[in-house]
Amino acid sequence: MRLVGFLVIVLLLTASCTSVDPTASAIEVYEQACARCHGNSMGGGVGPALGPGSDAESKPDESLLTAITNGRARMPSFRNQLTEAQIRGLVEYIRTVQRDG
Ligand code: HEC
């Protein structure tokens, strides 16, 4: 029983730290958490462009994952807002936009 209680507390704590709906698809996460700095179509703004022809296009996935997880310069860290799966989903979404415009 103690273990169950502990797990419930861990789940509650994890849920309360997540400001973005964990079931939101990558595109929704992007719109909620990233578009205000990187632009609606990844054309850039406060942050650099991420779409086709951007610097991010020529960087490895690891570099993008690290930037999103830890933050970089004026970009905040998303470690406490997003799950690792969501961050990977975002990188996949960014790659899709880079390929298809
Ligand atoms: C407060 C504004 C802001 C928000 C919100 C933000 N970013 Fe950024 N982002 C930046 C800035 C500024 C940089 C450039 C940092 C630097 O100078 O290296 C950056 C850099 C990046 C990079 C690295 C680009 C490269 O060429 O290496 C990626 C990838 C990235 N952001 C993705 C995201 C994603 C995905 C989100 C949403 C989860 C997000 N950003 C939210 C401002 C922001």
Side-chain angles (χ1 to χ4, degrees), residues 21-66:
D21 177 358
T23 60
S25 67
I27 188 161
E28 286 168 336
V29 174
Y30 181 84
E31 279 165 6
Q32 286 175 39
C34 323
R36 69 190 164 94
C37 289
H38 291 283
N40 287 327
S41 39
M42 301 195 188
V46 175
L50 302 172
S54 64
D55 282 356
E57 189 173 25
S58 57
K59 292 184 181 165
D61 286 1
E62 271 321 303
S63 169
L64 308 193
L65 287 170
T66 308

mmCIF file of all heavy atoms in Angstrom, residues 21-66:
data_model
loop_
_atom_site.group_PDB
_atom_site.id
_atom_site.type_symbol
_atom_site.label_atom_id
_atom_site.label_comp_id
_atom_site.label_asym_id
_atom_site.label_seq_id
_atom_site.Cartn_x
_atom_site.Cartn_y
_atom_site.Cartn_z
ATOM 1 N N ASP A 21 -0.401 20.277 -21.822
ATOM 2 C CA ASP A 21 -1.147 19.020 -21.856
ATOM 3 C C ASP A 21 -0.274 17.911 -22.447
ATOM 4 O O ASP A 21 0.143 18.000 -23.598
ATOM 5 C CB ASP A 21 -2.392 19.234 -22.731
ATOM 6 C CG ASP A 21 -3.211 17.961 -22.893
ATOM 7 O OD1 ASP A 21 -2.790 16.912 -22.359
ATOM 8 O OD2 ASP A 21 -4.247 18.031 -23.545
ATOM 9 N N PRO A 22 0.011 16.858 -21.658
ATOM 10 C CA PRO A 22 0.931 15.820 -22.149
ATOM 11 C C PRO A 22 0.406 15.047 -23.352
ATOM 12 O O PRO A 22 1.163 14.408 -24.058
ATOM 13 C CB PRO A 22 1.111 14.890 -20.945
ATOM 14 C CG PRO A 22 0.011 15.214 -20.012
ATOM 15 C CD PRO A 22 -0.465 16.596 -20.321
ATOM 16 N N THR A 23 -0.900 15.118 -23.603
ATOM 17 C CA THR A 23 -1.423 14.392 -24.756
ATOM 18 C C THR A 23 -1.429 15.253 -26.015
ATOM 19 O O THR A 23 -1.747 14.784 -27.103
ATOM 20 C CB THR A 23 -2.871 13.906 -24.497
ATOM 21 O OG1 THR A 23 -3.687 15.052 -24.255
ATOM 22 C CG2 THR A 23 -2.943 12.974 -23.305
ATOM 23 N N ALA A 24 -1.088 16.515 -25.840
ATOM 24 C CA ALA A 24 -1.101 17.396 -27.011
ATOM 25 C C ALA A 24 -0.117 16.881 -28.049
ATOM 26 O O ALA A 24 0.974 16.426 -27.723
ATOM 27 C CB ALA A 24 -0.727 18.812 -26.599
ATOM 28 N N SER A 25 -0.497 16.933 -29.282
ATOM 29 C CA SER A 25 0.399 16.482 -30.339
ATOM 30 C C SER A 25 1.521 17.510 -30.502
ATOM 31 O O SER A 25 1.417 18.641 -30.026
ATOM 32 C CB SER A 25 -0.370 16.348 -31.642
ATOM 33 O OG SER A 25 -0.763 17.625 -32.066
ATOM 34 N N ALA A 26 2.577 17.094 -31.175
ATOM 35 C CA ALA A 26 3.748 17.964 -31.328
ATOM 36 C C ALA A 26 3.363 19.324 -31.902
ATOM 37 O O ALA A 26 3.872 20.348 -31.462
ATOM 38 C CB ALA A 26 4.790 17.279 -32.199
ATOM 39 N N ILE A 27 2.440 19.317 -32.837
ATOM 40 C CA ILE A 27 2.071 20.584 -33.465
ATOM 41 C C ILE A 27 1.402 21.511 -32.450
ATOM 42 O O ILE A 27 1.666 22.712 -32.412
ATOM 43 C CB ILE A 27 1.196 20.354 -34.715
ATOM 44 C CG1 ILE A 27 0.979 21.655 -35.480
ATOM 45 C CG2 ILE A 27 -0.134 19.729 -34.395
ATOM 46 C CD1 ILE A 27 0.549 21.420 -36.913
ATOM 47 N N GLU A 28 0.576 20.926 -31.572
ATOM 48 C CA GLU A 28 -0.075 21.737 -30.537
ATOM 49 C C GLU A 28 0.948 22.238 -29.519
ATOM 50 O O GLU A 28 0.881 23.380 -29.073
ATOM 51 C CB GLU A 28 -1.159 20.924 -29.830
ATOM 52 C CG GLU A 28 -2.388 20.737 -30.690
ATOM 53 C CD GLU A 28 -3.348 19.700 -30.127
ATOM 54 O OE1 GLU A 28 -2.908 18.820 -29.363
ATOM 55 O OE2 GLU A 28 -4.529 19.776 -30.463
ATOM 56 N N VAL A 29 1.884 21.347 -29.153
ATOM 57 C CA VAL A 29 2.928 21.755 -28.214
ATOM 58 C C VAL A 29 3.718 22.911 -28.823
ATOM 59 O O VAL A 29 3.997 23.913 -28.171
ATOM 60 C CB VAL A 29 3.879 20.578 -27.872
ATOM 61 C CG1 VAL A 29 5.039 21.065 -27.004
ATOM 62 C CG2 VAL A 29 3.122 19.466 -27.161
ATOM 63 N N TYR A 30 4.053 22.781 -30.102
ATOM 64 C CA TYR A 30 4.811 23.847 -30.765
ATOM 65 C C TYR A 30 4.040 25.163 -30.684
ATOM 66 O O TYR A 30 4.597 26.202 -30.337
ATOM 67 C CB TYR A 30 5.112 23.488 -32.234
ATOM 68 C CG TYR A 30 5.907 24.583 -32.901
ATOM 69 C CD1 TYR A 30 7.294 24.631 -32.775
ATOM 70 C CD2 TYR A 30 5.266 25.625 -33.570
ATOM 71 C CE1 TYR A 30 8.029 25.679 -33.318
ATOM 72 C CE2 TYR A 30 5.989 26.673 -34.117
ATOM 73 C CZ TYR A 30 7.362 26.699 -33.987
ATOM 74 O OH TYR A 30 8.082 27.752 -34.505
ATOM 75 N N GLU A 31 2.747 25.104 -30.997
ATOM 76 C CA GLU A 31 1.941 26.324 -30.981
ATOM 77 C C GLU A 31 1.858 26.935 -29.586
ATOM 78 O O GLU A 31 1.913 28.148 -29.422
ATOM 79 C CB GLU A 31 0.542 26.049 -31.537
ATOM 80 C CG GLU A 31 0.551 26.051 -33.061
ATOM 81 C CD GLU A 31 -0.698 25.430 -33.666
ATOM 82 O OE1 GLU A 31 -1.634 25.093 -32.915
ATOM 83 O OE2 GLU A 31 -0.721 25.278 -34.900
ATOM 84 N N GLN A 32 1.730 26.063 -28.581
ATOM 85 C CA GLN A 32 1.594 26.558 -27.204
ATOM 86 C C GLN A 32 2.903 27.083 -26.635
ATOM 87 O O GLN A 32 2.912 28.052 -25.893
ATOM 88 C CB GLN A 32 1.097 25.432 -26.283
ATOM 89 C CG GLN A 32 -0.365 25.088 -26.461
ATOM 90 C CD GLN A 32 -0.750 23.889 -25.595
ATOM 91 O OE1 GLN A 32 -0.302 23.767 -24.458
ATOM 92 N NE2 GLN A 32 -1.555 23.003 -26.126
ATOM 93 N N ALA A 33 4.005 26.379 -26.939
ATOM 94 C CA ALA A 33 5.241 26.664 -26.216
ATOM 95 C C ALA A 33 6.336 27.316 -27.044
ATOM 96 O O ALA A 33 7.265 27.902 -26.483
ATOM 97 C CB ALA A 33 5.777 25.364 -25.597
ATOM 98 N N CYS A 34 6.270 27.243 -28.353
ATOM 99 C CA CYS A 34 7.422 27.647 -29.164
ATOM 100 C C CYS A 34 7.118 28.748 -30.174
ATOM 101 O O CYS A 34 7.991 29.545 -30.493
ATOM 102 C CB CYS A 34 7.974 26.454 -29.946
ATOM 103 S SG CYS A 34 7.930 24.897 -29.042
ATOM 104 N N ALA A 35 5.872 28.760 -30.688
ATOM 105 C CA ALA A 35 5.551 29.650 -31.810
ATOM 106 C C ALA A 35 5.789 31.116 -31.470
ATOM 107 O O ALA A 35 6.209 31.888 -32.335
ATOM 108 C CB ALA A 35 4.101 29.428 -32.251
ATOM 109 N N ARG A 36 5.560 31.500 -30.191
ATOM 110 C CA ARG A 36 5.710 32.931 -29.865
ATOM 111 C C ARG A 36 7.145 33.412 -30.089
ATOM 112 O O ARG A 36 7.375 34.597 -30.277
ATOM 113 C CB ARG A 36 5.230 33.211 -28.437
ATOM 114 C CG ARG A 36 6.094 32.632 -27.355
ATOM 115 C CD ARG A 36 5.401 32.767 -26.000
ATOM 116 N NE ARG A 36 6.010 31.907 -25.009
ATOM 117 C CZ ARG A 36 6.963 32.312 -24.174
ATOM 118 N NH1 ARG A 36 7.391 33.548 -24.228
ATOM 119 N NH2 ARG A 36 7.476 31.471 -23.300
ATOM 120 N N CYS A 37 8.112 32.532 -30.021
ATOM 121 C CA CYS A 37 9.498 32.945 -30.277
ATOM 122 C C CYS A 37 10.017 32.514 -31.640
ATOM 123 O O CYS A 37 10.844 33.197 -32.227
ATOM 124 C CB CYS A 37 10.436 32.397 -29.200
ATOM 125 S SG CYS A 37 10.229 33.213 -27.607
ATOM 126 N N HIS A 38 9.559 31.369 -32.124
ATOM 127 C CA HIS A 38 10.118 30.843 -33.378
ATOM 128 C C HIS A 38 9.187 31.052 -34.575
ATOM 129 O O HIS A 38 9.516 30.631 -35.679
ATOM 130 C CB HIS A 38 10.482 29.367 -33.226
ATOM 131 C CG HIS A 38 11.655 29.151 -32.305
ATOM 132 N ND1 HIS A 38 12.964 29.382 -32.681
ATOM 133 C CD2 HIS A 38 11.702 28.773 -31.002
ATOM 134 C CE1 HIS A 38 13.760 29.124 -31.665
ATOM 135 N NE2 HIS A 38 13.026 28.760 -30.623
ATOM 136 N N GLY A 39 8.035 31.671 -34.342
ATOM 137 C CA GLY A 39 7.117 31.966 -35.440
ATOM 138 C C GLY A 39 6.159 30.827 -35.723
ATOM 139 O O GLY A 39 6.470 29.670 -35.457
ATOM 140 N N ASN A 40 4.973 31.157 -36.247
ATOM 141 C CA ASN A 40 3.952 30.141 -36.511
ATOM 142 C C ASN A 40 4.422 29.103 -37.517
ATOM 143 O O ASN A 40 4.107 27.937 -37.404
ATOM 144 C CB ASN A 40 2.667 30.792 -37.013
ATOM 145 C CG ASN A 40 1.945 31.501 -35.889
ATOM 146 O OD1 ASN A 40 1.997 31.062 -34.740
ATOM 147 N ND2 ASN A 40 1.306 32.612 -36.204
ATOM 148 N N SER A 41 5.194 29.520 -38.507
ATOM 149 C CA SER A 41 5.660 28.534 -39.482
ATOM 150 C C SER A 41 7.171 28.360 -39.393
ATOM 151 O O SER A 41 7.827 28.093 -40.394
ATOM 152 C CB SER A 41 5.206 28.917 -40.878
ATOM 153 O OG SER A 41 5.309 30.313 -41.050
ATOM 154 N N MET A 42 7.712 28.551 -38.172
ATOM 155 C CA MET A 42 9.137 28.347 -37.885
ATOM 156 C C MET A 42 10.036 29.300 -38.651
ATOM 157 O O MET A 42 11.208 29.009 -38.891
ATOM 158 C CB MET A 42 9.571 26.891 -38.157
ATOM 159 C CG MET A 42 8.786 25.898 -37.326
ATOM 160 S SD MET A 42 9.550 24.276 -37.314
ATOM 161 C CE MET A 42 8.252 23.341 -36.458
ATOM 162 N N GLY A 43 9.476 30.452 -39.032
ATOM 163 C CA GLY A 43 10.270 31.434 -39.769
ATOM 164 C C GLY A 43 11.173 32.276 -38.879
ATOM 165 O O GLY A 43 11.985 33.053 -39.361
ATOM 166 N N GLY A 44 11.025 32.131 -37.561
ATOM 167 C CA GLY A 44 11.865 32.885 -36.632
ATOM 168 C C GLY A 44 11.162 34.130 -36.130
ATOM 169 O O GLY A 44 10.111 34.527 -36.631
ATOM 170 N N GLY A 45 11.732 34.726 -35.100
ATOM 171 C CA GLY A 45 11.170 35.910 -34.453
ATOM 172 C C GLY A 45 12.171 36.297 -33.384
ATOM 173 O O GLY A 45 13.314 36.623 -33.689
ATOM 174 N N VAL A 46 11.772 36.161 -32.114
ATOM 175 C CA VAL A 46 12.719 36.338 -31.005
ATOM 176 C C VAL A 46 13.824 35.289 -31.143
ATOM 177 O O VAL A 46 15.002 35.560 -30.938
ATOM 178 C CB VAL A 46 11.999 36.166 -29.647
ATOM 179 C CG1 VAL A 46 12.990 36.227 -28.507
ATOM 180 C CG2 VAL A 46 10.917 37.219 -29.479
ATOM 181 N N GLY A 47 13.401 34.081 -31.476
ATOM 182 C CA GLY A 47 14.350 32.979 -31.672
ATOM 183 C C GLY A 47 14.637 32.802 -33.153
ATOM 184 O O GLY A 47 13.936 33.358 -33.993
ATOM 185 N N PRO A 48 15.676 32.054 -33.470
ATOM 186 C CA PRO A 48 16.033 31.847 -34.877
ATOM 187 C C PRO A 48 15.008 31.000 -35.620
ATOM 188 O O PRO A 48 14.225 30.280 -35.003
ATOM 189 C CB PRO A 48 17.373 31.100 -34.786
ATOM 190 C CG PRO A 48 17.343 30.424 -33.455
ATOM 191 C CD PRO A 48 16.531 31.320 -32.554
ATOM 192 N N ALA A 49 15.016 31.097 -36.939
ATOM 193 C CA ALA A 49 14.168 30.229 -37.764
ATOM 194 C C ALA A 49 14.584 28.782 -37.550
ATOM 195 O O ALA A 49 15.749 28.483 -37.266
ATOM 196 C CB ALA A 49 14.332 30.614 -39.233
ATOM 197 N N LEU A 50 13.611 27.872 -37.632
ATOM 198 C CA LEU A 50 13.898 26.444 -37.468
ATOM 199 C C LEU A 50 13.510 25.672 -38.725
ATOM 200 O O LEU A 50 13.807 24.492 -38.845
ATOM 201 C CB LEU A 50 13.104 25.880 -36.275
ATOM 202 C CG LEU A 50 13.341 26.528 -34.906
ATOM 203 C CD1 LEU A 50 12.343 25.981 -33.890
ATOM 204 C CD2 LEU A 50 14.765 26.304 -34.427
ATOM 205 N N GLY A 51 12.845 26.325 -39.646
ATOM 206 C CA GLY A 51 12.281 25.648 -40.819
ATOM 207 C C GLY A 51 13.305 25.407 -41.925
ATOM 208 O O GLY A 51 14.510 25.341 -41.666
ATOM 209 N N PRO A 52 12.821 25.266 -43.165
ATOM 210 C CA PRO A 52 13.704 24.973 -44.299
ATOM 211 C C PRO A 52 14.765 26.055 -44.480
ATOM 212 O O PRO A 52 14.450 27.245 -44.371
ATOM 213 C CB PRO A 52 12.754 24.964 -45.504
ATOM 214 C CG PRO A 52 11.380 24.871 -44.948
ATOM 215 C CD PRO A 52 11.425 25.426 -43.558
ATOM 216 N N GLY A 53 16.011 25.650 -44.715
ATOM 217 C CA GLY A 53 17.094 26.602 -44.942
ATOM 218 C C GLY A 53 17.675 27.207 -43.679
ATOM 219 O O GLY A 53 18.588 28.029 -43.739
ATOM 220 N N SER A 54 17.172 26.827 -42.507
ATOM 221 C CA SER A 54 17.673 27.403 -41.251
ATOM 222 C C SER A 54 18.955 26.702 -40.799
ATOM 223 O O SER A 54 19.273 25.610 -41.280
ATOM 224 C CB SER A 54 16.611 27.255 -40.164
ATOM 225 O OG SER A 54 16.378 25.885 -39.894
ATOM 226 N N ASP A 55 19.646 27.321 -39.852
ATOM 227 C CA ASP A 55 20.828 26.687 -39.252
ATOM 228 C C ASP A 55 20.444 25.348 -38.630
ATOM 229 O O ASP A 55 21.192 24.375 -38.707
ATOM 230 C CB ASP A 55 21.403 27.565 -38.129
ATOM 231 C CG ASP A 55 22.204 28.734 -38.674
ATOM 232 O OD1 ASP A 55 22.363 28.807 -39.913
ATOM 233 O OD2 ASP A 55 22.653 29.551 -37.866
ATOM 234 N N ALA A 56 19.256 25.343 -37.998
ATOM 235 C CA ALA A 56 18.820 24.135 -37.287
ATOM 236 C C ALA A 56 18.726 22.943 -38.234
ATOM 237 O O ALA A 56 18.916 21.799 -37.828
ATOM 238 C CB ALA A 56 17.475 24.380 -36.609
ATOM 239 N N GLU A 57 18.460 23.218 -39.505
ATOM 240 C CA GLU A 57 18.318 22.128 -40.472
ATOM 241 C C GLU A 57 19.617 21.340 -40.622
ATOM 242 O O GLU A 57 19.596 20.132 -40.812
ATOM 243 C CB GLU A 57 17.904 22.707 -41.830
ATOM 244 C CG GLU A 57 17.516 21.648 -42.828
ATOM 245 C CD GLU A 57 16.934 22.239 -44.119
ATOM 246 O OE1 GLU A 57 17.245 23.394 -44.460
ATOM 247 O OE2 GLU A 57 16.159 21.529 -44.770
ATOM 248 N N SER A 58 20.750 22.037 -40.512
ATOM 249 C CA SER A 58 22.028 21.350 -40.717
ATOM 250 C C SER A 58 22.611 20.790 -39.422
ATOM 251 O O SER A 58 23.683 20.199 -39.418
ATOM 252 C CB SER A 58 23.027 22.320 -41.360
ATOM 253 O OG SER A 58 23.150 23.451 -40.528
ATOM 254 N N LYS A 59 21.907 20.990 -38.311
ATOM 255 C CA LYS A 59 22.414 20.475 -37.033
ATOM 256 C C LYS A 59 21.822 19.104 -36.722
ATOM 257 O O LYS A 59 20.692 18.818 -37.122
ATOM 258 C CB LYS A 59 22.080 21.448 -35.910
ATOM 259 C CG LYS A 59 22.852 22.750 -36.058
ATOM 260 C CD LYS A 59 22.617 23.685 -34.917
ATOM 261 C CE LYS A 59 23.403 24.978 -35.157
ATOM 262 N NZ LYS A 59 22.967 26.042 -34.284
ATOM 263 N N PRO A 60 22.594 18.276 -36.005
ATOM 264 C CA PRO A 60 22.084 16.933 -35.667
ATOM 265 C C PRO A 60 20.922 16.994 -34.672
ATOM 266 O O PRO A 60 20.796 17.969 -33.916
ATOM 267 C CB PRO A 60 23.294 16.234 -35.045
ATOM 268 C CG PRO A 60 24.188 17.329 -34.575
ATOM 269 C CD PRO A 60 23.941 18.509 -35.485
ATOM 270 N N ASP A 61 20.101 15.945 -34.669
ATOM 271 C CA ASP A 61 18.967 15.863 -33.741
ATOM 272 C C ASP A 61 19.405 16.140 -32.303
ATOM 273 O O ASP A 61 18.719 16.842 -31.566
ATOM 274 C CB ASP A 61 18.335 14.459 -33.784
ATOM 275 C CG ASP A 61 17.522 14.238 -35.055
ATOM 276 O OD1 ASP A 61 17.460 15.154 -35.894
ATOM 277 O OD2 ASP A 61 16.959 13.139 -35.195
ATOM 278 N N GLU A 62 20.554 15.573 -31.917
ATOM 279 C CA GLU A 62 21.036 15.711 -30.540
ATOM 280 C C GLU A 62 21.152 17.183 -30.140
ATOM 281 O O GLU A 62 20.860 17.560 -29.019
ATOM 282 C CB GLU A 62 22.406 15.044 -30.369
ATOM 283 C CG GLU A 62 22.360 13.583 -29.992
ATOM 284 C CD GLU A 62 21.263 13.225 -28.988
ATOM 285 O OE1 GLU A 62 21.255 13.831 -27.900
ATOM 286 O OE2 GLU A 62 20.421 12.369 -29.293
ATOM 287 N N SER A 63 21.626 17.999 -31.082
ATOM 288 C CA SER A 63 21.833 19.415 -30.809
ATOM 289 C C SER A 63 20.490 20.104 -30.557
ATOM 290 O O SER A 63 20.357 20.934 -29.642
ATOM 291 C CB SER A 63 22.576 20.024 -32.000
ATOM 292 O OG SER A 63 22.581 21.406 -31.909
ATOM 293 N N LEU A 64 19.474 19.741 -31.342
ATOM 294 C CA LEU A 64 18.144 20.327 -31.151
ATOM 295 C C LEU A 64 17.541 19.835 -29.832
ATOM 296 O O LEU A 64 16.965 20.621 -29.066
ATOM 297 C CB LEU A 64 17.207 19.978 -32.310
ATOM 298 C CG LEU A 64 17.705 20.277 -33.737
ATOM 299 C CD1 LEU A 64 16.546 20.183 -34.720
ATOM 300 C CD2 LEU A 64 18.336 21.636 -33.848
ATOM 301 N N LEU A 65 17.711 18.536 -29.564
ATOM 302 C CA LEU A 65 17.179 17.975 -28.310
ATOM 303 C C LEU A 65 17.783 18.689 -27.109
ATOM 304 O O LEU A 65 17.076 19.050 -26.163
ATOM 305 C CB LEU A 65 17.505 16.473 -28.213
ATOM 306 C CG LEU A 65 16.708 15.529 -29.125
ATOM 307 C CD1 LEU A 65 17.313 14.134 -29.091
ATOM 308 C CD2 LEU A 65 15.248 15.474 -28.693
ATOM 309 N N THR A 66 19.092 18.907 -27.169
ATOM 310 C CA THR A 66 19.776 19.574 -26.052
ATOM 311 C C THR A 66 19.296 21.006 -25.897
ATOM 312 O O THR A 66 19.048 21.464 -24.775
ATOM 313 C CB THR A 66 21.310 19.558 -26.287
ATOM 314 O OG1 THR A 66 21.694 18.222 -26.563
ATOM 315 C CG2 THR A 66 22.062 20.062 -25.077
#
